[in-house]
Amino acid sequence: MSDLRERARELDAADELAAVRADFVLDGPEDLVYLDGNSLGALPVNVPGAVEDVVRRQWGELRIRSWTESGWWTAPERIGDRVAPLLGAAPGQVVVGDSTSVNVFKALVGAVRLAPEGRDEILVDAATFPTDGYIAGSAARMTGCTVRPVDPGAVPDALGPRTAAVLLNQVDYRSGRLHDLPTLTAAVRAAGAVSVWDLCHSAGALSVGLDEHGVDLAVGCTYKFLNGGPGAPAYLYVRAEHQARFDSPLPGWNSHAEPFGMRAAYEPADGAVRGRVGTPDILSMLALEAALDVWSRPDVSVAAVRAKSLALTDFFLECVAGYVPGDRVEVVTPAAHAERGSQVALRCADAGAVMGRLIAAGVVGDFRAPDVLRFGFTPLYLGFAEVERAARVLARELSRTD
């Protein structure tokens, strides 16, 4: 135990991202360990002031003038261009707004409409977050397609001449498994289908490479590793080569070529703007814009964050192996770096009760039914000493018999 504590101190001393922690509000007991950033990221210190300015000055003083003078109208594209580098995308391909669920619907129906004629099947990640599956079913009914759940690893063999679109998660939300986006995207493209990736559990924690790997469409949330706040708007990526043909199933006045023309006939705007629908949710959108400032620091990059993510999860797994009896939990998350996101999932029979005790003891993770303890590792504000403590408290709570 003392060896692991000393290792944690050494790793924290060498951590090139350690100073970034001061950019976040981490109030609470001194020994609190927050391992749920894959559900809701911590509050960046600059966000309250930014939101106060939006409310008091932009809304309170400028009022309607802020649509132009404060840049409210262009916020979805402007903030999209700030998210884009974190996804490996060039400017002009990401628009921010709506929820992830709404953007999945837009992307999936849009994907079917981009696909060659005569294709009537949508492949969906069999272990996907439930909402993605629900929306895929609705999109299929709307477009005359059928839905076929497939394990991501089996996608290349499942593709065929009927495949219109494929909806996959880069990181499995339960297990933390990282799927092979480059290989799977290449297989989808070779089959003539359209790829749609859900990046909720990867953006802000690891490299995505949308442009490099030929991804067609992608969606994701901003309240996890991007720390945009509860209910922060999601984003939609439309590859540049598809934008002229992207046909959103939710055409709104904000995506019209002449939004203030109030014309009865719809004419889509050029570029990613056609992914917009209605009036932007300005308060949460500008809170997100402020939260993204941390990525402008010279010491913060996706590569540095990914390197620390792997180091944190490696160390946590080492501590769990050192502290927790071998028959008490099963590690669900892959050990291989190429297959691991930024979370660790452990299976145990009484996971719900155990997580309740962990939270009461100051180690905040979450529980996924029926038997998974899930721990998220946000490299921007998490340290190695906290990781060691979390594993130690886990061992203690697992040993309880009451």
Side-chain angles (χ1 to χ4, degrees):
M1 185 176 294
S2 60
D3 289 346
L4 288 171
R5 287 187 180 181
E6 180 58 32
R7 282 271 316 287
R9 284 191 287 268
E10 293 171 355
L11 289 166
D12 278 329
D15 179 13
E16 297 179 356
L17 293 177
V20 184
R21 181 184 176 92
D23 285 1
F24 292 87
V25 176
L26 296 165
D27 295 340
E30 185 177 350
D31 57 355
L32 177 71
V33 183
Y34 188 65
L35 296 177
D36 210 4
N38 55 327
S39 288
L40 177 64
L43 171 67
V45 296
N46 65 323
V47 168
V51 172
E52 182 176 14
D53 179 71
V54 174
V55 172
R56 293 188 180 279
R57 184 181 65 84
Q58 297 180 33
W59 180 13
E61 297 176 17
L62 297 179
R63 291 177 287 276
I64 197 72
R65 292 161 52 195
S66 276
W67 284 106
T68 53
E69 294 181 27
S70 300
W72 287 1
W73 183 258
T74 57
E77 303 91 76
R78 182 180 70 247
I79 302 171
D81 282 346
R82 295 191 65 181
V83 172
L86 308 181
L87 312 178
Q93 299 177 101
V94 179
V95 64
V96 170
D98 305 312
S99 67
T100 306
S101 301
V102 171
N103 283 323
V104 169
F105 181 70
K106 286 187 276 187
L108 203 49
V109 173
V112 174
R113 292 173 175 175
L114 285 170
E117 291 288 335
R119 294 183 177 235
D120 61 357
E121 184 176 69
I122 300 172
L123 301 185
V124 178
D125 183 341
T128 192
F129 188 75
T131 294
D132 284 16
Y134 306 155
I135 290 174
S138 178
R141 293 190 296 273
M142 182 176 181
T143 58
C145 291
T146 58
V147 173
R148 180 152 62 109
V150 179
D151 182 84
V155 164
D157 292 332
L159 291 162
R162 292 182 53 196
T163 309
V166 182
L167 173 62
L168 298 168
N169 296 269
Q170 189 177 16
V171 174
D172 184 285
Y173 80 100
R174 283 193 184 91
S175 68
R177 175 178 290 276
L178 172 62
H179 296 301
D180 189 346
L181 181 147
T183 298
L184 292 173
T185 301
V188 172
R189 174 159 288 209
V194 180
S195 60
V196 181
W197 283 91
D198 183 329
L199 309 176
C200 284
H201 287 271
S202 53
L206 51 88
S207 175
V208 180
L210 295 180
D211 287 355
E212 177 186 359
H213 302 303
V215 170
D216 296 309
L217 302 164
V219 303
C221 64
T222 61
Y223 49 79
K224 300 181 189 295
F225 295 112
L226 296 181
N227 308 296
Y235 53 85
L236 169 68
Y237 164 87
V238 182
R239 190 172 185 82
E241 67 187 75
H242 297 314
Q243 289 177 3
R245 292 182 53 233
F246 180 71
D247 183 7
S248 172
L250 295 173
W253 75 286
N254 264 230
S255 62
H256 197 285
E258 295 184 57
F260 293 97
M262 303 301 167
R263 303 183 187 281
Y266 179 73
E267 179 185 348
D270 293 331
V273 176
R274 63 179 55 194
R276 292 174 61 157
V277 183
T279 305
D281 43 353
I282 291 299
L283 298 183
S284 58
M285 189 166 291
L286 297 189
L288 167 63
E289 185 172 32
L292 293 171
D293 284 349
V294 69
W295 293 94
S296 298
R297 289 179 55 126
D299 52 345
V300 173
S301 66
V302 174
V305 166
R306 176 57 171 166
K308 184 176 176 183
S309 165
L310 291 172
L312 288 167
T313 50
D314 278 345
F315 187 57
F316 182 69
L317 289 169
E318 181 182 353
C319 291
V320 168
Y323 293 161
V324 177
D327 60 347
R328 193 63 177 86
V329 297
E330 174 192 353
V331 178
V332 178
T333 305
H337 286 182
E339 299 176 6
R340 188 194 310 162
S342 201
Q343 69 182 56
V344 172
L346 305 176
R347 180 173 288 124
C348 70
D350 50 347
V354 170
M355 183 54 68
R357 297 201 300 269
L358 284 174
I359 293 172
V363 175
V364 181
D366 65 17
F367 160 69
R368 285 293 179 266
D371 57 2
V372 171
L373 300 170
R374 198 176 67 155
F375 303 95
F377 295 79
T378 304
L380 294 177
Y381 53 77
L382 189 64
F384 291 89
E386 293 170 292
V387 168
E388 185 275 335
R389 180 179 184 275
R392 188 160 27 91
V393 173
L394 173 64
R396 184 188 73 202
E397 296 304 322
L398 286 171
S399 68
R400 287 177 51 175
T401 57
D402 55 346

